Amino acid sequence: MIYWVVFILSASSLAFEVLLARIFSISQWNHLSFMVISIALFGFGASGTFLSLLDARRPGWEQRFSRRSFLLKLVILYSVSAVIAFGGLNRLPIDYFRLPLEPVQMLYLLIAYLLLSIPFFFTGMIMSIGFAALPDKTGLVYCASMTGSALGAVMPALGLGTLGEGYMVLSAALIPLLLPLFGDLKRWEGMRTALWAVATLSVLAGGIHYTGILDDLKWIRPSPYKALSQVLQFPNTEVTETRSGLRGRIDRVQSPYIRFAPGLSLKFTGALPRQWAVYRDGDRPYVFYNLNSEDEPTFPRFSLPFAGYLLVPDPEAVLIIQEGGGVGVPFALAADADRVTVVEPNPQIADLVRTHYRAPVFHSEGRVFLSRTDRKFDVIQLENWGASLPGSAALSQEHHFTIEAFTQYLKHLTEGGVLILSRKLMLPPSDSVRMWATAYESLRRIGVEEPADHLALLRNWDTYTLIVTAGPLFQGDVAALRRFAEELNFDSVYFPGIDPKEVNRFNIYDEPFHYQRVQQLLAAYRSNSAEAFFEAQMLDVAPQSDHRPFPGRLVKWSRLDDLYRSLGSRVYSLLMSGEIVVGVVFLEALAVAVLLLILPILFVTRGRLMSTPYRFVLYFLGIGAGYMFIEIYFIKSNILLLGDPIISFTVVLSGVLVFSGVGGYLSQYLDLSHLGYALGLLCGMLVAILIGYPVLVDAILGMPPFFRYAVAYIVLLPVGVLMGLPFALGMRFLLVSPVQRAYAWAANGCASVLTSIAAAQVALGIGIPAVMICALAGYLMALVSIYRPTGAKAVYS
């Protein structure tokens, strides 16, 4: 019975966790999904701490708690707490941006933490009971937990499109009630538990109806700071269609007030075409223009990004790589392009673009598409305007803006081709400087002797356009850009031979900050002191590689005090950075983890816990940290390979968990002598992956999707099996009492939660390969901890 309970609770709780992360990405921001992960894993860790403390007063709890009736009561408590947690979360007016202004927000966050941790606490209790009650079968309990969790990772993909986020999270919470309902109806005890389950369902149904939770299930309301919430404040504006899927929720909005024309000159006196838009997770709008006549798309000629098309009159082939925005197709049509190819990573938006504009649209990630084609283009236009709130996308991993990406774009340009990139303008100069530097280094990488002769940068008050040319800019090209900027009141930031008198003329700042910064950078490149230039900047504006592809990440922790003062010494401005929020969450998580690990040591006085060698505690901390670091390494490494972070998350999580379950099952046929060999082999395999996996990803990026998915699973197979051995073998052979196993479960959970947060900071600050190095360090610590020197050789304790 306990195996089925562990399996179903593992599936339900992981599905609940993934769906909560999806809901947070809509109702708040993506970086708050780390809070969900920390809550879940702390619920697991707290259960181990609770059982360790319980052992001091009631030894033998593992036998009483492993009875069928008690386990089914825990299942009922799990479902009840999960529904209450979801309902309460949607009723709490959480707004972490208002923390410095409204202290009550701290109370709301604390309530949210407690509510969401309770269902995971009950799940962790059941798993810990399984390990403690069946010490000789820990491999089977572990297998049930891992395979159940793998099913939970896949469940959202199967149900989101039909049920949506709200109904799907409710279904995940209630599915475990099937166990007490149909578990054992032939016995009176089973019938009584079933009656309890029926009563619970009745009460939950009444509560859901009375509290109005059903309204929350139908449509998750996005954060008030997101673009969708802002546009819905206008009259005669409505969401006409909503589609949910694994890649996010798409809302189609009709409104007479949608006006999207970034970089439009104030000298434009015509009328914009009627527009409608779709929003992904409440933000990043993609706008569709109703182009009913040939004369209608005139506004692009008055827009900043059109400067690039001036250098390629009547282009034959235009490639638009887009993620949000929507001006790319009208720009190509206004330039009289013969062939327009659109690459869109979201399949739902790709279908809409294909139907609306009747243009060839490829559902693919831009880098993957270019890896699969030898075609060259006269114009490649990148559209990615980022999140509506600066800093909220600091943790978003995007491979469109790395040196490798720009190099790939340049290799797919014709001899006179042009790369056009337009983005939001920031002060102090940051994103524009980083993109200019990225283009400069990419040009150097393909052998261009004077990259500065291939670059131009223009701006208005809130938008900039970077133009990168395959050949050098001639005097006629520069003259055309000068004339375009002069006529439409745009400011020049850089082109070859620019005169300081030409800058900061129309959209005036106190100083020509962007021009000055680019000139300083150019001088640094020419004097081979670029690294010193980037080090001296208050923000991180250095060009990024595929090893550290986080274009929204600008914070330097060493310059945080300078940043704070530059923002007017306003704390809430710092909270706009997802990286800083995650840093704060890590400190909170560290405090809670220390508390959970110290409490049993202080209050368990019977000696059973204190007899556990501290190196065995380090062992479970090491394998918990190593396991999570490996998961996150593969999730981040496979985003480029699989083309989508959510697809990568699902593939890696399901693969690692299933294969770890296989490893747990195989551990039943192994003994303690195999543990060191398993850890050593795993460490060797991690070194091989660290060296070879980036090369493999680059080599197969242009392969068909099925092949790439298959390779991802094949690589995960041996690693996942080896990852499943240390925990099961350690629980079985290194520990001798239930309280030790409960404490080890707590230590493993605390290590996992700290690692899940720390891994994000490691990837942001150092790079994705450093995450694997941390995983290797964790498993090496575990390997060292199981040996005790005795004389000239080492033996197991």
Side-chain angles (χ1 to χ4, degrees):
M1 177 66 181
I2 195 168
Y3 300 124
W4 280 109
V5 174
V6 168
F7 177 83
I8 293 179
L9 259 291
S10 297
S12 174
S13 60
L14 190 64
F16 188 67
E17 177 185 346
V18 172
L19 291 164
L20 281 178
R22 284 287 313 121
I23 290 170
F24 263 73
S25 69
I26 298 172
S27 63
Q28 298 291 330
W29 299 92
N30 284 329
H31 55 267
L32 288 185
S33 60
F34 282 91
M35 190 174 84
V36 175
I37 296 172
S38 67
I39 290 168
L41 295 173
F42 268 140
F44 293 153
S47 66
T49 299
F50 171 77
L51 292 175
S52 298
L53 294 172
L54 183 67
D55 190 80
R57 294 181 177 272
R58 295 186 179 181
W61 52 266
E62 70 280 2
Q63 297 304 321
R64 296 193 301 273
F65 287 0
S66 60
R67 293 172 184 167
R68 178 192 302 267
S69 59
F70 187 86
L71 291 175
L72 294 181
K73 288 175 183 176
L74 287 180
V75 169
I76 293 174
L77 288 172
Y78 163 81
S79 292
V80 171
S81 61
V83 173
I84 293 175
F86 175 69
L89 180 66
N90 284 284
R91 288 292 185 270
L92 285 172
I94 298 175
D95 186 345
Y96 76 95
F97 288 127
R98 297 163 70 178
L99 271 172
L101 306 175
E102 298 180 1
V104 71
Q105 290 293 331
M106 288 296 296
L107 177 62
Y108 294 152
L109 282 173
L110 177 61
I111 294 173
Y113 259 89
L114 292 176
L115 280 175
L116 292 175
S117 64
I118 292 173
F120 299 108
F121 172 82
F122 290 124
T123 302
M125 269 195 72
I126 288 176
M127 294 181 187
S128 189
I129 290 168
F131 291 126
L134 301 172
D136 294 333
K137 303 292 184 182
T138 53
L140 299 180
V141 176
Y142 187 78
C143 178
S145 174
M146 292 295 103
T147 52
S149 297
L151 175 61
V154 176
M155 281 172 59
L158 302 177
L160 273 174
T162 304
L163 299 177
E165 290 83 5
Y167 286 109
M168 189 66 198
V169 76
L170 183 64
S171 301
L174 295 180
I175 282 175
L177 287 179
L178 294 174
L179 281 170
L181 278 173
F182 304 105
D184 189 5
L185 297 180
K186 295 181 180 181
R187 299 168 55 191
W188 164 244
E189 187 179 20
M191 291 181 63
R192 187 170 60 180
T193 306
L195 290 174
W196 271 105
V198 171
T200 300
L201 278 173
S202 301
V203 171
L204 286 177
I208 289 171
H209 176 74
Y210 178 77
T211 58
I213 293 178
L214 280 176
D215 295 331
D216 299 328
L217 298 177
K218 295 176 184 176
W219 195 70
I220 305 298
R221 183 167 294 278
S223 165
Y225 303 102
K226 288 192 170 183
L228 178 56
S229 294
Q230 294 167 17
V231 77
L232 288 177
Q233 296 182 45
F234 288 98
N236 303 317
T237 300
E238 61 177 345
V239 176
T240 59
E241 183 183 8
T242 297
R243 302 181 187 177
S244 293
L246 189 60
R247 288 181 169 88
R249 191 182 78 182
I250 301 296
D251 294 292
R252 179 170 177 169
V253 176
Q254 294 283 355
S255 173
Y257 300 100
I258 294 178
R259 297 285 188 274
F260 184 74
L264 185 65
S265 170
L266 295 178
K267 287 193 172 183
F268 178 71
T269 58
L272 290 173
R274 288 186 62 85
Q275 305 168 31
W276 56 275
V278 294
Y279 294 79
R280 181 176 175 178
D281 287 344
D283 207 52
R284 292 179 178 259
Y286 185 89
V287 176
F288 293 82
Y289 297 85
N290 294 327
L291 306 176
N292 298 320
S293 69
E294 294 182 0
D295 298 329
E296 204 166 18
T298 56
F299 78 92
R301 296 183 177 274
F302 290 81
S303 300
L304 194 58
F306 199 77
Y309 285 91
L310 298 177
L311 306 181
V312 189
D314 301 320
E316 292 185 9
V318 173
L319 174 65
I320 299 169
I321 300 175
Q322 63 185 29
E323 190 163 343
V327 297
V329 175
F331 273 57
L333 296 177
D336 296 322
D338 294 336
R339 297 189 307 276
V340 180
T341 303
V342 180
V343 176
E344 166 59 52
N346 187 286
Q348 300 177 55
I349 297 178
D351 290 339
L352 291 172
V353 174
R354 187 181 297 111
T355 302
H356 186 80
Y357 291 116
R358 298 178 181 175
V361 180
F362 291 87
H363 160 226
S364 175
E365 199 272 342
R367 299 277 300 279
V368 174
F369 172 81
L370 289 175
S371 296
R372 300 184 66 181
T373 183
D374 294 327
R375 292 173 57 189
K376 292 185 179 293
F377 301 90
D378 298 304
V379 175
I380 297 178
Q381 183 173 359
L382 303 182
E383 259 212 281
N384 187 319
W385 297 95
S388 58
L389 191 66
S392 61
L395 275 68
S396 296
Q397 182 176 330
E398 300 182 60
H399 290 266
H400 295 123
F401 305 112
T402 64
I403 296 173
E404 293 87 348
F406 273 51
T407 303
Q408 193 174 23
Y409 303 147
L410 293 171
K411 288 180 178 179
H412 281 80
L413 289 176
T414 58
E415 186 174 344
V418 171
L419 171 66
I420 304 171
L421 168 65
S422 297
R423 302 265 287 170
K424 294 176 182 176
L425 191 70
M426 296 182 183
L427 273 178
S430 49
D431 188 75
S432 56
V433 176
R434 172 180 282 169
M435 293 301 112
W436 194 94
T438 303
Y440 189 98
E441 297 201 10
S442 300
L443 287 162
R444 277 204 311 197
R445 182 170 289 191
I446 63 174
V448 174
E449 293 184 2
E450 188 50 67
D453 290 344
H454 297 246
L455 299 172
L457 187 63
L458 306 176
R459 71 166 179 88
N460 65 359
W461 63 279
D462 73 337
T463 305
Y464 76 87
T465 291
L466 173 67
I467 301 169
V468 188
T469 59
L473 286 165
F474 297 109
Q475 290 185 357
D477 299 324
V478 173
L481 294 176
R482 276 197 175 103
R483 189 164 52 249
F484 178 76
E486 178 80 24
E487 292 175 353
L488 298 180
N489 290 2
F490 294 135
D491 287 293
S492 301
V493 177
Y494 177 82
F495 47 71
I498 190 171
D499 191 320
K501 296 179 181 178
E502 298 179 81
V503 305
N504 205 33
R505 298 171 58 196
F506 303 107
N507 305 278
I508 300 176
Y509 293 118
D510 293 338
E511 297 285 342
F513 299 112
H514 298 85
Y515 164 79
Q516 292 172 352
R517 202 60 53 84
V518 170
Q519 289 297 322
Q520 293 166 5
L521 176 58
L522 177 59
Y525 272 125
R526 287 175 171 170
S527 62
N528 294 320
S529 59
E531 289 188 11
F533 169 85
F534 293 126
E535 183 66 28
Q537 302 306 303
M538 182 176 66
L539 297 176
D540 180 7
V541 297
Q544 297 185 327
S545 69
D546 281 340
H547 294 312
R548 198 165 70 99
F550 303 97
R553 192 265 183 180
L554 299 168
V555 171
K556 281 184 177 179
W557 288 98
S558 61
R559 302 291 297 274
L560 195 60
D561 186 54
D562 294 334
L563 179 61
Y564 173 68
R565 289 197 299 269
S566 73
L567 294 171
S569 300
R570 294 187 291 266
V571 175
Y572 66 85
S573 297
L574 292 178
L575 293 178
M576 291 184 181
S577 169
E579 184 180 4
I580 292 177
V581 171
V582 172
V584 173
V585 171
F586 178 80
L587 294 177
E588 294 175 349
L590 181 61
V592 176
V594 171
L595 179 66
L596 291 177
L597 293 177
I598 286 180
L599 282 176
I601 296 175
L602 295 178
F603 293 101
V604 177
T605 59
R606 293 178 176 270
R608 286 186 291 273
L609 177 60
M610 300 306 295
S611 64
T612 306
Y614 285 110
R615 55 200 180 88
F616 288 169
V617 176
L618 291 178
Y619 172 84
F620 284 98
L621 288 172
I623 63 173
Y627 194 103
M628 190 61 69
F629 273 126
I630 290 176
E631 275 191 341
I632 294 177
Y633 171 82
F634 277 114
I635 289 171
K636 292 188 173 298
S637 294
N638 284 331
I639 287 176
L640 177 60
L641 180 66
L642 305 180
D644 186 274
I646 302 174
I647 297 296
S648 177
F649 175 86
T650 303
V651 168
V652 171
L653 209 60
S654 61
V656 167
L657 292 172
V658 166
F659 300 142
S660 294
V662 173
Y665 180 81
L666 294 176
S667 72
Q668 288 296 121
Y669 302 95
L670 303 177
D671 57 33
L672 182 59
S673 63
H674 296 100
L675 181 55
Y677 296 110
L679 285 170
L681 183 58
L682 177 58
C683 290
M685 192 168 292
L686 296 184
V687 172
I689 289 172
L690 178 64
I691 297 171
Y693 198 62
V695 179
L696 177 64
V697 169
D698 186 63
I700 66 173
L701 194 58
M703 295 294 182
F706 175 80
F707 184 84
R708 287 182 278 124
Y709 281 72
V711 169
Y713 276 117
I714 290 170
V715 172
L716 291 173
L717 172 59
V719 180
V721 171
L722 289 173
M723 289 166 64
L725 296 175
F727 184 86
L729 289 173
M731 277 283 189
R732 186 175 164 197
F733 292 111
L734 299 181
L735 307 175
V736 296
S737 67
V739 67
Q740 291 179 357
R741 294 187 175 92
Y743 188 75
W745 176 252
N748 190 265
C750 290
S752 297
V753 65
L754 292 173
T755 302
S756 67
I757 304 171
Q761 295 287 1
V762 170
L764 286 170
I766 306 176
I768 296 173
V771 177
M772 180 59 86
I773 294 174
C774 291
L776 182 61
Y779 279 108
L780 284 175
M781 183 176 76
L783 180 60
V784 171
S785 68
I786 64 174
Y787 286 96
R788 181 178 63 190
T790 302
K793 38 181 195 175
V795 298
Y796 288 106
S797 223

